[in-house]
Amino acid sequence: MLDTVSFFFNRAADHLGLDDRLRTILLTPKRSVRVEIVTESDDGEFHHHLGYRVQHNSARGPMKGGLRYHPSMDEDHASSLASLMTWKTAVVDIPYGGAKGGINCDPSKLSEAELYRITTTFVGLIKEVIGPTIDIPAPDVNTNAQVMGWIMDEYSKYYGFSPGVVTGKPVDLFGSLGRDEATGRGVMYVLQECLHESQRKLADVTIAIQGFGNVGSHAARLIAAQGGKIVAVSDVSGGIANDEGIDIPALLTWVKEEGVVQGFPGAVAIEGHEVLTYKAEVLIPAAMEEAITAANANNVQASIIVEAANGPLTAQAHDILVDKGVTVIPDILANAGGVTVSYFEWTQNIQQFKWEESRVVEELDKVMRKAYRAVAELARQDQLDMRTAAFVIAIKRVARASASRRSIAHLLPPSVLD
Ligand code: NAD
């Protein structure tokens, strides 16, 4: 995936005419930390895991990005996702840089007490390089509000009360109202803006969604409430479809009780992968990386793809689809609602002030729609696909901030300054 992020970065850098020295400065992580986490298991044995935190760029502010607990977590993965965060925070213009990290563990095989010990030991090992003005972790795959609460508590033991060290905390522990659904809400806003360009509304289109976790289920719920007709949904258990529109509130109740979409009585069963190529005008991949590759891109029937997941399209798949005339709203724009409300949580924490949920929703609406319009306008003006346009905007912001801090202004071409 690192190759994919760098590939798209370089395409935008070519458009801007950046020289190699500036590319190296903007692509190289500022700091990469690897720590050994040794903890005691419940049966008295020892657990050994590796923890990572890659801090990509801090030109525009403290670094920001999730913590992922997964057996496949490694430095390369953290580096690519950290780089993606730098460009994402810049596209939506929130005052952060990018970071990412995690632990190579499988939480499904650990008790809560074991997970707690691993998390707090990790905090002890990286505490000097994180903090409310340095690097602010957040939940990602297999981490949640509870894990963020443990991190805040452990960090505060060393440095005093520090709610701003992590975001995505429980609402009872200085978390923000509206954070849980923020990414799905942002996905809906960018889709509304995109449809608006052809004088359409959510109620005018059919939609397929891959993934029914945090992002997919909230996006489905909010879109359905606006009249959007969701005709196919999948999760790890498989897919379901109903051309008359799936009853999303009923599906949410089903998933709450059964855990998976499979078996939902209001739809027919299909293979999970069929959701990606289902006959629907809009496709929202909201599950995992590289779901659409050169192998299945030509079978995609949607004319709009909203990348709710990080990196759901390979570079080849992206180009096949764009060449076919498909509008791809890229991840660094489409799923930025989560980090945007994380920013709102952090501002509430450092101001010791709590926002009403209506204010969170209103501010998120403004940020997402403004970012979408800027990307769409540049894409039209410079005849770029939306991903390249989003990277161009992000690179310009990060390069200008870097030049204002360091003596590298002579490396910036006029295209970055206008
Ligand atoms: P999650 O763990 O809550 O949900 C993931 C969903 O994907 C689950 O429904 C799971 O069953 C499904 N899934 C897994 N493998 C699948 C497969 N092969 N086919 C179909 N479905 C499959 O995760 P999430 O928080 O919803 O994150 C989803 C994606 O969005 C990830 O790429 C994540 O990095 C990205 N993202 C999340 C946030 C956030 O705020 N949660 C923010 C930005 C980006």
Side-chain angles (χ1 to χ4, degrees), residues 68 179 183 212-215 234-236 286-288 308-310 335:
R68 182 175 290 197
R179 172 63 186 89
T183 307
F212 207 67
N214 173 292
V215 180
S234 68
D235 67 9
V236 76
M288 28 167 259
N310 283 319
N335 70 31

Side-chain angles (χ1 to χ4, degrees), residues 262-277:
Q262 204 175 41
F264 176 62
V268 294
I270 59 173
E271 293 289 326
H273 66 83
E274 288 181 75
V275 167
L276 298 167
T277 52

Side-chain angles (χ1 to χ4, degrees), residues 82-99:
S83 169
L84 205 65
M85 287 306 296
T86 296
W87 315 119
K88 191 181 297 186
T89 52
V91 170
V92 287
D93 204 10
I94 55 176
Y96 283 142

Side-chain angles (χ1 to χ4, degrees), residues 29 36 50 54 67 89 94 118 131 143 145 151 184 258 266 274 320 327-328 335-336 349 364 366 370 398 411:
E36 189 182 34
L50 292 174
V54 177
L67 279 181
T89 52
I94 55 176
I118 290 169
T143 54
I151 295 175
E258 306 296 326
E274 288 181 75
I320 291 170
T327 300
V328 179
N335 70 31
N349 293 158
L364 176 65
K366 270 194 261 177
K370 187 175 168 198
V398 177
L411 298 180

Side-chain angles (χ1 to χ4, degrees), residues 95 169 242 334:
K169 300 178 292 295
N242 180 344

